[in-house]
């Protein structure tokens, strides 16, 4: 096979400095995983001989969208990596009332380069964990646009959206998942909304629930936003099965 993607060629030639005869594992993003032996890498393309073919790890049975505000200190990027490893289908960066990191509307270039960086983090994490697909990351949007979008309230009985709300005496996510997995109607997708460091504002929680979401608790401990997102996704994947 011949590799044309400039990012992959750059990775092979300049980052990993691979030579003729070196072996690599190549994922095609559609479930195929190939062990290959490289020919001499050139700037215009790399020829690779397929040694054997495997099936990459399938995606979890329930496709999960996680909406999470960009966080300070690289914690959002860390969450992107971990959510990818745990099988997330899509991440939506949201701006909420108490968000600390705001998008720079006056310099759209900064936002575009952030998105490119986020996509690269997810691609690398998907490769590293050998999953079949690369999850999607959306442009940053406001919390209200998110809960009014088809991602939160699609016209589908096979979808459930949950807003993680601490200190509210909401039912545990684990209980809800047990009920959903026992129901006759199979679930295809879920959306999970997690708030920023300062938590979701009361009006935002009302809005999420008025727009069709269920409020859930993740237990008595107050988790950081990235922990809450990862814990919620891990519970969903564990309940409905992986791959
Ligand atoms: N500063 C807030 C906590 C915010 S935690 C306070 O002290 O009350 C950040 C986000 O993580 C919350 O908005 C919520 O979405 C989620 N979260 C953290 N712990 C949670 C829990 N025990 N149950 C449900 N959601 C939780």
């Amino acid at each position: 096979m011949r590799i044309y993607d400039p990012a992959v060629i750059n990775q092979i030639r300049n980052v990993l400095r691979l030579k003729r005869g070196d072996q690599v594992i190549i994922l095609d993003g559609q479930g195929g995983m190939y062990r290959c032996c490289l020919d001499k890498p050139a700037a215009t393309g790399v020829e690779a001989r397929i040694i054997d073919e495997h099936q990459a790890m399938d995606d979890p049975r329930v496709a999960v969208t996680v909406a999470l505000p960009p966080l300070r200190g690289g914690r959002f990027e860390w969450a992107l990596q971990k959510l990818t490893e745990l099988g997330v289908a899509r991440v939506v960066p949201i701006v909420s009332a108490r968000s600390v990191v705001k998008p720079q509307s006056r310099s759209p270039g900064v936002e575009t380069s952030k998105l490119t960086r986020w996509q690269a983090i997810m691609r690398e994490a998907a490769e590293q964990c050998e999953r079949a697909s690369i999850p999607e990351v959306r442009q940053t949007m406001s919390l209200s646009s998110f809960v009014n979008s088809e991602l939160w309230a699609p016209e589908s009985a096979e979808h459930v959206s949950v807003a993680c709300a601490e200190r509210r005496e909401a039912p545990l996510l684990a209980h809800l998942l047990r009920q959903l997995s026992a129901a006759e109607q199979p679930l295809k997708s879920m959306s999970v909304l997690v708030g920023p460091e300062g938590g979701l504002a009361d009006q935002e929680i009302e809005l999420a629930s008025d727009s069709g979401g269920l409020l859930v608790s993740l237990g008595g401990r107050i988790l950081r936003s990235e922990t809450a997102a990862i814990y919620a996704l891990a519970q969903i994947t564990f309940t409905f099965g992986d791959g």
Side-chain angles (χ1 to χ4, degrees), residues 68-69 71 98 163-168 170 172 193-201 205 216-229:
L68 177 72
L71 305 163
R98 301 198 186 123
C164 299
E166 73 286 2
R167 308 182 205 276
R168 279 253 172 177
L172 280 175
L193 170 65
V194 173
E197 288 94 335
L200 294 166
I205 294 179
V216 292
S217 164
L218 298 173
R221 284 181 293 268
I222 309 299
L223 310 173
R224 281 189 178 232
S225 308
E226 70 276 22
T227 318

Side-chain angles (χ1 to χ4, degrees), residues 17-155:
R17 294 180 184 280
L18 299 174
K19 302 177 301 294
R20 163 182 272 155
D22 283 341
Q23 286 192 9
V24 286
I25 296 200
I26 294 176
L27 295 137
D28 64 9
Q30 282 155 16
M33 186 166 119
Y34 308 87
R35 193 156 60 96
C36 298
C37 179
L38 292 180
D39 230 0
K40 191 172 182 311
T44 47
V46 178
E47 204 60 52
R49 188 171 50 79
I50 298 174
I51 301 169
D52 49 29
E53 186 182 339
H54 305 269
Q55 190 62 32
M57 184 65 195
D58 279 341
D59 288 339
R61 300 229 174 82
V62 169
V64 183
T65 295
V66 172
L68 177 72
L71 305 163
R72 271 192 297 204
R75 291 191 286 122
F76 182 75
E77 286 75 6
W78 185 83
L80 286 181
Q81 189 188 61
K82 301 304 157 207
L83 292 169
T84 302
E85 289 172 38
L86 291 168
V88 77
R90 179 184 301 108
V91 175
V92 183
I94 48 153
V95 188
S96 89
R98 301 198 186 123
S99 284
V100 182
V101 180
K102 306 264 188 212
Q104 304 194 353
S105 52
R106 266 185 263 127
S107 46
V110 174
E111 289 309 307
T112 311
S113 71
K114 252 194 231 168
L115 187 65
T116 310
R117 197 173 74 239
W118 292 340
Q119 283 164 340
I121 290 169
M122 292 173 98
R123 184 171 62 79
E124 279 164 29
E127 284 170 2
Q128 189 270 328
C129 73
E130 300 184 354
R131 69 177 266 186
S133 69
I134 302 172
E136 177 194 13
V137 53
R138 290 275 175 112
Q139 287 275 11
T140 308
M141 64 168 89
S142 69
L143 183 143
S144 62
S145 325
F146 174 69
V147 298
N148 282 309
S149 75
E150 89 295 348
L151 294 173
W152 186 254
E155 304 239 334

